[in-house]
Amino acid sequence: MMDPDDVTIREQNFHSQVREYIICFLLFTILYTISYFIITKYKRKPDDHEDEDAIVNRISLFLCTFTLAVSAGAVLLLPFSIISNEILLSFPQTYYIQWLNGSLIRGLWNLVSLFSNLSLFVLMPFAYFFLESEGFAGSKKGIKARILETLVMLILLGLLILGIVWVASALIDNDAASMESLYDLWEFYLPYLYSCISLMGGLLLLLCTPVGLSRMFTVMGQLLVKPTILEDLDEQIYCVGLQEEALKRRFNGAYMTSHLKYNSEDLEQELDRVRSKKSKLERRKKASAWERNLVYPVVMLILLAGTAISVLLVAFNILALLVDETAMPKGSQELGLGKASLSAFGFVGAAIEIILIFYLMVSSVVGFYSLRFFADLAPTKDDTTMTKIIGNCVSILVLSSALPVMSRTLGITRFDLLGDFGRFNWLGNFYIVVSYNLLFAVVTTLCLIRKFTSAVREELLQAFGLNNLHLSNRTQDTEKVLHSANGHQKSF
């Protein structure tokens, strides 16, 4: 017979595993529901009738929702782990938080890593090929034919990627041990491939985050009401109103006069731009004094403080890397959760780290869509195709999967990477880590300097009314000439 103590331990382990599965399922359900509402908000509305394409779009929608939920889980990994460590440190013997343990945190990291690989290498390519497939020529059309074509394309793509990785590995490490490890698919190929994807994601974050940190000031400036300094809003509204009336008359004349060659689409875009400018000026005029003079400066100071703290932490991390080997980012197999605080400032420092991690993620997304190469990928409300949604989900997944690695590499947090996130080969390279920190600090500083110098110059020109001296040719033509219905010109 078995010892009663062994039975009790087995029961405890069983209940702990069931509890962890339930918690992971509930967390993923919440993220999946939120992701579904986000995607359906931007997805182009389908037709009412049910057909083959509608079924394919629905399957692709579910796969994209799964990928976006995994991306949200990757973003929340570090904040959830940091706050869990501080809670266990503050309440070590509390019964109601016994479910919050190292096994749960490690399981979450492993699940996010697994689902990230699954989404990036299987689900998203399947969704794209399934959406574009029509079935092989000569075969019977239908869902089965499209699935067969998609599976064939996935196999060919997998063989192509494995061949590229094999050749790249052989060129980099041309020794017997490395060549032998190339035949191990599960233990070498997939971790090595995900390590390369993570490095690409880290480089993409290095490109997007500094741009986003400087772009955040512009975005918040568009959402908030700026203070009125040396500006006459009534005069600006009057001038914009005259421009709007002139464009309306010219737009109507272009439609009524057939022999004049005017581009009505350009006139319509110009009219929309003037109307948008007029609505912004009217909003600034209707805003209260505290909204103009208090909210905007406070938000700008918060953004500036967050950016400055991030750059300072990176600078301190560079110094630590030069003098201390333990500052190198590394993976950890033993998670000492609740034993010591990760920040010298305790709970306040941990809260600042969490805020900075979210701030960097939002900035990276803003910077990603601000780049010219990815600007066309930005989603539009109720008018985004499934192909573009797939591209957005893949981009967000790559950025979010690299966020924990970037946060640890830059020294934003001292929480060691768990699971496959700590197995990346390039994390142990001193020169790559130091160069990454230096590039982030230098590029972020240069972007901020350029942003603030240009912003100050524009504000000064606007305050003294000098910005109206350089009007575009389209606006000058609008103010000079109005076309009547019979085609004759009327000058002001």
Side-chain angles (χ1 to χ4, degrees):
M1 296 182 61
M2 298 183 63
D3 192 357
D5 293 337
D6 295 335
V7 176
T8 304
I9 294 175
R10 290 180 61 187
E11 290 179 351
Q12 291 178 354
N13 293 332
F14 174 76
H15 291 305
S16 298
Q17 290 292 330
V18 173
R19 183 174 63 241
E20 291 177 11
Y21 292 151
I22 293 175
I23 293 173
C24 294
F25 177 76
L26 291 176
L27 291 176
F28 183 77
T29 302
I30 294 173
L31 295 178
Y32 188 91
T33 304
I34 297 174
S35 302
Y36 179 80
F37 284 113
I38 292 175
I39 291 181
T40 52
K41 180 180 179 181
Y42 290 97
K43 180 179 177 293
R44 179 176 295 174
K45 301 303 179 184
D47 298 331
D48 295 333
H49 62 280
E50 185 78 11
D51 56 359
E52 180 181 321
D53 291 334
I55 298 175
V56 172
N57 283 331
R58 190 178 298 113
I59 295 174
S60 300
L61 174 63
F62 293 151
L63 296 179
C64 290
T65 305
F66 180 87
T67 303
L68 189 60
V70 173
S71 303
V75 174
L76 295 174
L77 273 182
L78 271 179
F80 186 77
S81 302
I82 295 172
I83 197 66
S84 299
N85 181 74
E86 298 300 326
I87 291 176
L88 291 176
L89 188 63
S90 303
F91 309 99
Q93 303 298 329
T94 304
Y95 173 77
Y96 297 101
I97 60 172
Q98 292 301 314
W99 57 272
L100 197 62
N101 50 37
S103 178
L104 174 63
I105 302 300
R106 189 181 295 106
L108 289 174
W109 282 74
N110 291 330
L111 284 177
V112 169
S113 177
L114 174 64
F115 289 156
S116 298
N117 284 280
L118 180 66
S119 300
L120 189 61
F121 299 122
V122 180
L123 298 185
M124 286 296 93
F126 178 86
Y128 177 76
F129 290 133
F130 190 45
L131 197 66
E132 299 293 331
S133 63
E134 296 180 355
F136 291 110
S139 62
K140 185 179 180 180
K141 302 298 181 183
I143 298 295
K144 292 183 179 179
R146 299 180 73 162
I147 292 177
L148 178 61
E149 181 184 354
T150 303
L151 292 178
V152 172
M153 292 298 297
L154 277 179
I155 293 174
L156 294 177
L157 178 64
L159 293 176
L160 177 63
I161 293 177
L162 290 179
I164 293 175
V165 174
W166 197 91
V167 172
S169 303
L171 292 176
I172 295 175
D173 296 325
N174 192 14
D175 56 342
S178 299
M179 296 296 293
E180 186 69 24
S181 63
L182 291 176
Y183 300 99
D184 193 345
L185 178 64
W186 186 259
E187 293 295 330
F188 178 81
Y189 254 125
L190 293 181
Y192 183 83
L193 184 59
Y194 191 62
S195 177
C196 296
I197 297 297
S198 174
L199 180 59
M200 293 174 57
L203 295 177
L204 185 60
L205 279 176
L206 182 62
L207 178 64
C208 297
T209 307
V211 176
L213 289 174
S214 61
R215 179 68 179 169
M216 284 291 290
F217 294 92
T218 303
V219 173
M220 296 307 298
Q222 294 174 351
L223 297 177
L224 300 176
V225 179
K226 295 182 179 181
T228 304
I229 303 175
L230 299 177
E231 288 186 83
D232 190 351
L233 294 179
D234 293 330
E235 181 181 355
Q236 293 186 26
I237 293 175
Y238 177 74
C239 294
V240 173
L242 291 178
Q243 294 181 17
E244 183 182 5
E245 291 297 327
L247 285 171
K248 284 181 180 179
R249 295 177 182 177
R250 186 174 180 183
F251 185 72
N252 296 330
Y255 267 108
M256 297 175 63
T257 307
S258 58
H259 65 277
L260 294 178
K261 297 181 180 179
Y262 288 105
N263 194 340
S264 59
E265 294 182 359
D266 293 342
L267 289 176
E268 188 175 1
Q269 292 178 0
E270 186 72 15
L271 185 59
D272 292 338
R273 186 189 65 81
V274 172
R275 286 174 177 172
S276 176
K277 183 179 179 180
K278 182 180 179 181
S279 63
K280 291 179 181 180
L281 291 173
E282 291 176 347
R283 182 194 172 197
R284 292 181 62 187
K285 183 179 178 180
K286 295 178 181 179
S288 59
W290 70 269
E291 186 179 358
R292 290 196 306 265
N293 302 322
L294 181 61
V295 176
Y296 182 83
V298 169
V299 173
M300 291 296 111
L301 288 176
I302 292 175
L303 293 179
L304 183 60
T307 307
I309 292 174
S310 301
V311 175
L312 287 177
L313 287 177
V314 174
F316 290 143
N317 187 56
I318 294 174
L319 295 177
L321 289 171
L322 296 177
V323 299
D324 189 5
E325 294 182 355
T326 59
M328 287 286 294
K330 60 182 183 301
S332 176
Q333 299 298 330
E334 297 181 0
L335 179 61
L337 202 66
K339 294 182 179 179
S341 179
L342 299 173
S343 175
F345 300 99
F347 189 83
V348 176
I352 293 176
E353 290 180 359
I354 294 174
I355 293 174
L356 289 178
I357 291 172
F358 284 122
Y359 180 49
L360 290 178
M361 183 60 199
V362 174
S363 301
S364 64
V365 174
V366 173
F368 176 80
Y369 290 116
S370 299
L371 297 176
R372 294 182 180 179
F373 187 75
F374 302 108
D376 295 334
L377 198 62
T380 305
K381 184 178 179 181
D382 296 332
D383 194 30
T384 306
T385 61
M386 279 304 305
T387 304
K388 187 176 289 188
I389 289 177
I390 292 173
N392 281 276
C393 290
V394 172
S395 303
I396 297 299
L397 178 62
V398 172
L399 292 175
S400 59
S401 299
L403 179 66
V405 181
M406 186 193 75
S407 301
R408 181 63 183 90
T409 304
L410 296 178
I412 303 298
T413 180
R414 295 296 179 185
F415 194 91
D416 289 331
L417 302 173
L418 301 177
D420 290 336
F421 287 92
R423 295 175 58 186
F424 300 145
N425 299 329
W426 59 273
L427 289 176
N429 193 311
F430 174 78
Y431 297 102
I432 293 180
V433 173
V434 173
S435 300
Y436 193 91
N437 282 261
L438 285 173
L439 284 175
F440 181 86
V442 172
V443 174
T444 303
T445 304
L446 292 178
C447 288
L448 288 177
I449 292 175
R450 182 179 179 274
K451 173 64 182 177
F452 281 109
T453 54
S454 62
V456 170
R457 183 173 62 253
E458 291 176 0
E459 290 294 333
L460 289 176
L461 291 175
Q462 186 176 2
F464 290 103
L466 299 178
N467 59 327
N468 294 326
L469 296 178
H470 305 283
L471 299 176
S472 62
N473 294 331
R474 193 178 299 169
T475 305
Q476 290 177 356
D477 294 340
T478 303
E479 294 178 352
K480 288 181 180 179
V481 180
L482 288 178
H483 296 273
S484 62
N486 58 4
H488 298 288
Q489 298 180 352
K490 291 183 179 181
S491 302
F492 284 117

